[in-house]
Structure formats: structure tokens, C-alpha cells
Amino acid sequence: MDWSPFDAVLFDLDGVITPTAVVHLHAWTEMFDEFLAGWGKKRPFTDADYVDYVDGKPRIDGVRSFLHSRGIELPEGEPDDPSSAETVVGLGARKNLVFNEVLRRDGVTAYPGSVTLLDRLADTDLELAIVSSSRNARQVLDAAGLLDRFEVIVDGNVGADAHLPGKPAPDYFLHAASQVGCAADHAVVVEDAISGVAAGAAGDFGLVIGVDRGAGADALRTAGADVVVEDLAELLPSAPERQADETSS
């Protein structure tokens, strides 16, 4: 791929850099299945529910979206609701506890192809940013040994502080572009979630790359992906774009 027309690359985290989407899926499934059992709902949370209602969204938006799909109404709750609270916020806190338990127990290893691409892009003038709805993005990057690879991290904590609407709205990505000093049409968005690809398309970014980790290439293209790959190693530049100055003696 020719990266020279662009000034920045804005990466989603879960499912793009690290396989933590699987950890999130397990955490959401465990939390919602326990909750649904208490409501007498026999149909469990499914992988399709994760893709359709949760993946790529801020945690509270995901809770709200899934509950709506099942016709369940809960009080919104307060920002400091504990995980025991039967509120939207409480369920979000409950899911976060499960996620962090799994992360502490099992750790996380980045996709090899993603690390290879990051290594090659380090030899360019591109600014690299993480754009994730997760409030745990820094912990995940630290666990994967990649925290120092990104100039800017726009995560769920930044989004909440800045009152940014979550994906599929483009605001998270637009905020990251502004933080690295890049116009949207000179930035690349790399996403695996349908909502994230839709956010990139809505923001009129220079290029939207969909990473097919299970959402389906057709679904990613329909959401607005210009290019779809299965692994970030497919995007390697043909040669380093910034050569070290050569001196002669």
C-alpha cells in the first residue's frame, strides 16, 4: 500500500491491533447471560448480538442498544453506580469487572501482522493514534507492550470527558485527527467493527480500511470501507518512506 498521500493513521484497538474483541465478547456474554436469566429470558446473548449491538460502541451505548433489542427497559442510573445496580450504568460496570478479570488472568498478545505494520510505519512520518470506545485501551496496550507506539490515544475516558458521541458517529476519529494535527481527508481509519467503519465513512476520511475479523467483507464495504483486508500485514508499505540521512566521509 502507498501511504504517502496521508499524514496520520487512526487505529481502532480491539480486533485491529489486539485480539481483545474475543475477551470483550466473553465478558459481554457472561454478564448478559447472567442478567437475562434473572429476567426469565431464555434466549442467550449471541455472537450476532455482539456484532449488531455492542461491538465498537462505548460500553453504556452497547448496554442500552442490546437491552432495547430485547425489549428490556432499565433506569439509566448514575455515573458511580456499582456493578450490583440493576441499571444501564450498573450493567456496564459489571461487564468491565469481568473484562479486567480476564485481562489480568490471561494477558493479551497483539496480532503479529499488526505489530509488523506498526514497525514499518515507524519508519515513516505518519502520526499514529488509537481510537477506541473502550475505557480500558491503555491497560490493553500496556499489557501488549505497545503503549509507547502511539502519539495520541482517544479512548472511552477521553470521549466521556469531551462529551463525544460514540461510533458510528465520527466524533472519536475527528477528535483524534485534531489531536495529531491532521485534516480528516489526510487521515486513514482502520477498523474491524461495522460501527467503526461507518464512523470513518461519516467523517469523510481520506481512506477507510476494514479489517475482517468476522464481520464479513461485504458488511464492511456496505458500511463504508474503501479497502478490506484480513490482516494488517497486507497493508505493508513496499519500502520505508523516510530514509535516514546519508553522510559521506
Side-chain angles (χ1 to χ4, degrees):
M1 177 173 162
D2 180 14
W3 294 90
S4 61
F6 307 108
D7 298 325
V9 189
L10 314 177
F11 294 94
D12 179 45
L13 177 59
D14 302 327
V16 171
I17 302 298
T18 57
T20 36
V22 176
V23 182
H24 282 291
L25 171 61
H26 290 166
W28 282 113
T29 301
E30 181 177 328
M31 186 276 290
F32 272 132
D33 282 354
E34 181 180 343
F35 169 77
L36 291 170
W39 277 65
K41 302 287 186 180
K42 299 184 183 301
R43 183 160 59 96
F45 183 82
T46 67
D47 292 5
D49 289 326
Y50 178 77
V51 172
D52 291 341
Y53 306 115
V54 170
D55 190 23
K57 297 179 181 178
R59 189 187 313 147
I60 300 305
D61 290 351
V63 173
R64 195 183 297 112
S65 179
F66 174 73
L67 292 179
H68 179 76
S69 77
R70 295 296 180 87
I72 298 174
E73 293 188 12
L74 288 181
E76 187 72 10
E78 300 297 330
D80 58 351
D81 274 3
S83 60
S84 58
E86 288 287 297
T87 63
V88 171
V89 174
L91 289 186
R94 200 175 304 176
K95 180 265 173 180
N96 195 49
L97 282 179
V98 177
F99 175 84
N100 279 287
E101 287 171 2
V102 176
L103 185 64
R104 283 192 296 269
R105 184 185 69 225
D106 300 337
V108 63
T109 301
Y111 292 107
S114 300
V115 175
T116 300
L117 179 63
L118 291 175
D119 288 343
R120 290 288 292 274
L121 294 184
D123 292 327
T124 74
D125 290 318
L126 290 163
E127 300 287 337
L128 307 182
I130 286 290
V131 183
S132 172
S133 299
S134 174
R135 289 177 178 259
N136 299 304
R138 288 183 177 273
Q139 294 94 309
V140 170
L141 287 168
D142 188 46
L146 297 174
L147 188 58
D148 63 345
R149 297 293 193 103
F150 301 95
E151 290 84 358
V152 167
I153 298 173
V154 176
D155 61 8
N157 299 299
V158 174
D161 290 343
H163 305 289
L164 301 176
K167 306 168 188 177
D171 300 63
Y172 268 67
F173 286 113
L174 292 171
H175 186 78
S178 70
Q179 292 298 298
V180 297
C182 177
D185 60 356
H186 285 180
V188 179
V189 167
V190 187
E191 262 282 0
D192 72 308
I194 292 172
S195 62
V197 167
D204 292 326
F205 286 88
L207 185 70
V208 180
I209 298 173
V211 186
D212 184 10
R213 306 287 193 193
D218 289 342
L220 293 169
R221 290 190 185 96
T222 298
D226 302 303
V227 175
V228 176
V229 298
E230 293 184 355
D231 189 274
L232 294 197
E234 298 172 45
L235 302 171
L236 290 174
S238 56
E241 297 169 39
R242 183 183 64 202
Q243 301 291 339
D245 293 336
E246 294 183 0
T247 58
S248 57
S249 57

